[in-house]
Amino acid sequence: MKEIRWHGRGGQGAKTASQLLADINLQEGKFVQSFPEYGPERSGAPIKAYNRVSDEKIRVHSGVYEPEVVAVVDPTLLSAANPTEGLSSDGILLVNTGKSAEEIKSETGFNGKVLAFNATEVAENAGSGYANVPVLGALVRVLGTDYELARAEVESALLKKLPEEVVEMNLAAFKAGYEAVNN
Amino acid sequence: MSNGNRQVLTGHQVVANAMRQVDPDVVAAYPITPQSEIVEYFSKFVADGKVDSEVITVESEHSAMSACVGSSAAGARTMTATASQGLALMLEIVYIAASMRAPIVMTVANRALSGPINIHCDHSDSMAARDSGVIQIYGEDAQEAYDFTLMAQRLAENEDVLLPVMVTLDGFTLTHTAQVAELLPDDTVTDFVGEYEPLYPLLDVDNPTTQGPFDMPDYYFEHKLQQVEAMNNVPEKFLEVQEEFSDLSDREYSGLFESYRLDDADYAIVLLGSTAGTAKVVVDELRDKGKKVGLLKPWMFRPFPAEEMKEALKEKEAVAVFDRSLSFGSSGPLYLEVSSALSHEDNKPRLYNYTYGLGGRDIAEGHIAEVFEDLENPDLESKMHYINART
Amino acid sequence: MAEFELKKYDEVPIGGVVTGGATPELNETGDWRSNRPIFDEDKCIQCLLCWSHCPDASFYIEDEEVQGIDYDHCKGCGICAEICPVDAITMVPEGEDSEDE
């Protein structure tokens, strides 16, 4: 079983991305959980969301304490939150940032694998404006998920709530995110 | 969002879909976290024309259950959902629903009772309703919440039962977590729940009845004995419904509680709800290390399966009963039941009470593993133990 | 008040349901009364206000005319005496004789 933690700010779509990832993993035939951490939520406040992915039925219902992968949607959370908490040195830290992986390593003191790319810029270039989807694209690559399968799921999920041209922008951002990192 | 029959759904969506498939005549409810989205999703099904139910939006849970009692007395298949303070406010009328033998099926998204005000899970709300005459079934995950909501309909409306049924699922942990669940086809559910034929529908003007009348001391007791008898009929009927449901769902339900690697276990934990899933993981890990440990998870808390539970536990070395609610000045409600069930055994297991998870306090695998370790100690104190609390 | 045979728990309908639609006819509830309405047929103009205001349906009516009062169910509230526009109903303490008795 793999455990993933998302850091974002209220309104940035970290929870949505977490649920999209669960949908994608289901399409791979996996068992999944996706849940946010609930507190006094308000727009802009730091939030966390979690995924569990497994080949077997998932029975555990506790919080996630030692994630294998951490995805940071908002660059300011590197200092405002504690994104490396519980992340072992063989884990992966995926960060939306303008800085290099080396800079992130020294900033966080995290010795494991850091994947850094500017998801905000990717989203702006694609016209969608939300960094959650390119981070999801990168995460899909990190997890070794089939790109076409993941893209199709994102497309069908987003089409349920967004107009077609906005979905197209997001799919472009998803692709750019996927291509921005090496597994 | 689906793979074969499997879908990723939140507990809310799963219960709302069960309600849609049951197709009740009336749903009367008032929103409260963490229940609100159940009725929101259901209302969307109504607005989209996917179900013909009448949704009554009321001004409080007291009114919600009052409308449910009236609707049920009229002869309508009736459902509702609530949580926490909502159930507390509703409680006066839950007793009346039970005494009027109204087969209302209600979901409770377990949430701590105030105060301090808290939106997260514990079982203080449903435990406060345990003496109301409602049947109580606790689910471990969204799948069980779905399955039991469907089975509850059959149980409630059984002519030897005719009682309200409460199906609970842990707030947030199950309601707000997207997880994998399998829904049955709509027509399978339609066939399974069947048509509701009320015994004394108030709207049957050719056979007028008076309902909910006043009782003097000469009849109140006898009417309560009727409820006692109905409750006594529940286990057998529940097993029958489970058998039928298992056949059409390929999911195995056979018992008033689930025994997990319990038969040859020396040490056992008894607990309700979603934490059972976490405990199963711990049991597996400890079994791999050669420890003889097991879990007993009651599905049904009312009526309480005392006799069956005694048989399952009486030869254990030690048993820890986990309560997710307090009864101030006494032991936890589940502990008292288990303790009472074993009270006449000569060589009963050492029995301990652990309180956990109040107000959403997390319980992880390590906490449960520690309790199994505790149980091996023959000198373990028989005071109340508190898990993951700063004592 | 009529005496009923007390039945066992499994001999009565569940949930306190009372079957049949005429339960007041099975119970004499007039013994609560402390004041008794006396109806004077000679003064009555048959406006039926007493009948329409009586909370206990205790006026006997035939052919749309008041025939008298059902003392088995009248509780002596006095609304009829108050509402009567021609003082055809008077309240007298229970137990005092009246020429209409």
Side-chain angles (χ1 to χ4, degrees), chain A residues 19 22-23 26-36 38-39 57 59-65 153 156 160, chain B residues 1-3 6-8 120 140-141 172-174 176-180 260 274 277-278 280 284 362-365:
Chain A
Q19 292 196 332
D23 291 336
L26 178 80
Q27 290 304 324
E28 293 180 284
K30 306 277 191 189
F31 287 86
V32 297
Q33 282 181 356
S34 160
F35 55 101
Y38 283 92
K57 181 178 176 182
R59 296 176 299 187
V60 67
H61 286 294
S62 67
V64 169
Y65 296 95
E153 189 57 34
S156 77
K160 285 178 191 154
Chain B
M1 280 194 289
S2 67
N3 185 341
R6 283 197 226 147
Q7 301 183 60
V8 179
H120 289 277
E140 176 186 321
D141 51 23
F172 290 100
T173 312
L174 298 182
H176 287 63
T177 295
Q179 56 208 294
V180 177
Y260 189 76
S274 66
T278 313
K280 286 176 185 172
D284 286 351
D362 198 26
I363 178 164
E365 293 162 44

Side-chain angles (χ1 to χ4, degrees), chain B residues 179-232:
Chain B
Q179 56 208 294
V180 177
E182 288 183 41
L183 305 187
L184 295 171
D186 290 355
D187 52 357
T188 304
V189 176
T190 304
D191 290 345
F192 175 70
V193 298
E195 284 282 318
Y196 171 44
E197 285 172 23
L199 193 55
Y200 298 113
L202 209 47
L203 292 182
D204 179 1
V205 290
D206 295 328
N207 296 290
T209 54
T210 301
Q211 304 209 14
F214 179 82
D215 257 5
M216 289 292 280
D218 61 358
Y219 267 106
Y220 182 88
F221 207 154
E222 279 66 30
H223 283 133
K224 289 291 132 183
L225 291 179
Q226 293 178 336
Q227 284 179 251
V228 169
E229 184 178 57
M231 216 28 135
N232 289 342

Side-chain angles (χ1 to χ4, degrees), chain A residues 20 42 44 51 61 80 94 108 110 113 115 119 134 146 163:
Chain A
L20 283 172
R42 62 262 183 233
N51 285 76
H61 286 294
L94 170 66
T108 59
F110 176 63
K113 186 171 180 180
L115 298 168
D146 180 73

Side-chain angles (χ1 to χ4, degrees), chain B residues 219-328:
Chain B
Y219 267 106
Y220 182 88
F221 207 154
E222 279 66 30
H223 283 133
K224 289 291 132 183
L225 291 179
Q226 293 178 336
Q227 284 179 251
V228 169
E229 184 178 57
M231 216 28 135
N232 289 342
N233 292 339
V234 168
E236 187 190 332
K237 301 300 167 191
F238 188 43
L239 294 177
E240 286 173 16
V241 173
Q242 281 184 336
E243 193 177 340
E244 208 179 309
F245 187 85
S246 299
D247 285 346
L248 60 89
S249 69
D250 293 329
R251 288 187 287 278
E252 193 56 42
Y253 291 99
S254 58
L256 307 174
F257 49 82
E258 182 186 5
S259 299
Y260 189 76
R261 307 185 81 163
L262 187 68
D263 287 354
D264 67 335
D266 293 328
Y267 303 101
I269 287 176
V270 180
L271 61 77
L272 297 161
S274 66
T275 307
T278 313
K280 286 176 185 172
V281 175
V282 176
V283 166
D284 286 351
E285 285 166 2
L286 293 177
R287 283 275 178 176
D288 287 347
K289 292 178 187 164
K291 302 277 188 188
K292 292 175 86 173
V293 296
L295 171 77
L296 190 155
K297 176 190 74 177
W299 277 314
M300 191 159 258
F301 185 74
R302 279 293 180 271
F304 191 77
E307 190 58 31
E308 294 83 351
M309 207 176 275
K310 182 190 83 183
E311 290 304 316
L313 294 175
K314 66 181 183 186
E315 280 163 20
K316 304 301 166 206
E317 185 72 30
V319 175
V321 183
F322 281 26
D323 272 287
R324 203 165 188 174
S325 65
L326 291 167
S327 179
F328 297 101

